[in-house]
Amino acid sequence: MIQSIEQLCDFVDLSPDDLAIDFDSIFPFKVPKHFAEQIEKGNPNDPLLKQILPGLAERDVYPGFSPDPVGDLAANPQPSLIHKYHGRALLIASPRCDIHCRYCFRRHFPYEQAKKQHWQAALENIAQDHSISEVILSGGDPMTLSENSLVELIDGIEAIPHVSTLRIHSRTPIVAPHKAHRPTLLKTLSKSRLQTVLVVHCNHANELTPESAELMQQFRQSNVFLLNQTVLLKDINDSANTLSALSKKLFSQGILPYYCHLLDKVSGSGHFDIQKHQAWAIFEQLRQTLPGYLVPRFVEEIAGEPYKTLLIDPNSQDIKPTA
Ligand SMILES: *Cc1c(COP(=O)(O)O)cnc(C)c1O
Ligand code: SF4
């Protein structure tokens, strides 16, 4: 771990005076060494640096941005379980992350409720609801759990007969691959009757390293499907070239692009936002240059909707698709 903002600045050969840093942010700074090592030295505009440096811009207030834009608190029937979409229940397995991404929509979420003591109740809730066939471990980041805790939780999920799919959402394999290397977990997954999907979270090709490639190889050998989700971020990855390079590099590591999320409008992240027509233009360019399986679905999460909503051509928005 890099211990402080000062240490990071030192590490990347930049002066804090040139970076408009907010040293008093309510969402604390956190970055693993591995991620910091991928930042280009001396470049204040590095796309990885921008994801983690607490900026004074986070204090700017933007209309339409709020603490819980995706309505998670309303869909939270009991501590640590979010059941918003048919067939899938999301369990907040850990309150922690290995990195703090400045754009994160969970920056205001009451994480204190994501405690291990709530797992039993959450699993009982899933066991009683036969419509749930997929359990998603999210967070925070489930990979911040100890290997034993994670395996214990997966065993509990496997014991529910109507659950057929396990999905793990984690940014750790990208930002701290050494930490995500878990031999017992891999063994558990390779033997499990559950179909397992690992959805990693990577926003830029520079985040992918030989170490992440090696780790992905191990997950694949354990029968785990690998997908990626990205957040579309202004001045970080908001171009077809950048996203195309990301898709190709993901594929070279055995990962298929899944979602490209439009930013959730969470307070403090307005400076990362992209206009919808720009997002659509990027999507169009990607479709023109990449094979279909390397084009992520561009989606936005609208509170109260029964699925993540596909971005549609803003020029034809008068034609509302029906269910
Ligand atoms: C995104 C999300 C899911 C998964 O949705 P998919 O479209 O299946 O990837 C499930 N539950 C919650 C609460 C989510 O936010
Ligand atoms: S939940 Fe994901 S996006 Fe948010 S801070 Fe944690 S790792 Fe980053």
Side-chain angles (χ1 to χ4, degrees), residues 72 82 84-85 88-90 106 134 136 167 169 258-259 261 301 308:
D72 273 359
I82 303 178
K84 267 204 314 208
Y85 299 147
R88 291 147 288 169
L90 186 150
R106 293 191 186 282
E134 175 170 0
I136 301 169
R167 193 191 320 180
H169 275 252
Y258 180 37
Y259 279 145
H261 291 269
E301 197 158 341
K308 299 204 198 303

Side-chain angles (χ1 to χ4, degrees), residues 64-83:
F65 283 64
S66 70
D68 181 28
V70 297
D72 273 359
L73 295 175
N76 202 204
Q78 64 174 84
S80 55
L81 195 66
I82 303 178
H83 190 187

